[in-house]
Amino acid sequence: MHGFMEAEQHVAGVDLAELEPLTVLLVWTWHSLYRIVVVGGREVLVQGGPFFSDLTRAHLDGASAGGRALKAGWIGVGHLMALSICGQVILTSPVVAVATQGRGMPAVH
């Protein structure tokens, strides 16, 4: 796990702890687009992909390299996004890009 955390320092991404509540993120993965509304902490509302046709309350566990190692509360480009809903963990395909949604052009992270 030490190698995973060390490598993560050089990967583009977003830490939910640094975002204000109600911040809206657009997260593109290899296969889907997700809209994520930050509720607070790691609690989010998520819509998109094959599992979230409507806004759904979820817990953003973090970024995974495909194994058990997670960087909690973080969305990292090139990594899987792990979301928990009612005790079930959903892993997305690898993240390609993350942007904040707002007025005008989105800011790419």
Side-chain angles (χ1 to χ4, degrees):
M1 181 146 141
H2 175 67
F4 174 78
M5 295 305 283
E6 188 174 299
E8 291 314 301
Q9 295 174 10
H10 306 290
V11 175
V14 174
D15 185 346
L16 262 58
E18 296 177 2
L19 300 176
E20 295 290 325
L22 302 181
T23 299
V24 178
L25 298 173
L26 298 176
V27 180
W28 288 267
T29 67
W30 281 1
H31 303 293
S32 301
L33 169 63
Y34 295 88
R35 184 171 152 247
I36 296 176
V37 180
V38 177
V39 174
R42 289 189 266 163
E43 297 302 313
V44 297
L45 298 173
V46 59
Q47 183 177 22
F51 299 103
F52 310 107
S53 56
D54 297 316
L55 271 176
T56 304
R57 185 173 286 274
H59 185 266
L60 187 117
D61 294 333
S64 171
R68 291 184 176 257
L70 283 177
K71 185 169 180 182
W74 192 72
I75 301 170
V77 173
H79 293 117
L80 311 179
M81 186 170 51
L83 298 152
S84 294
I85 294 95
C86 299
Q88 180 180 3
V89 176
I90 306 285
L91 291 174
T92 68
S93 57
V95 172
V96 176
V98 181
T100 53
Q101 183 180 21
R103 297 182 193 124
M105 296 295 290
V108 177
H109 297 274

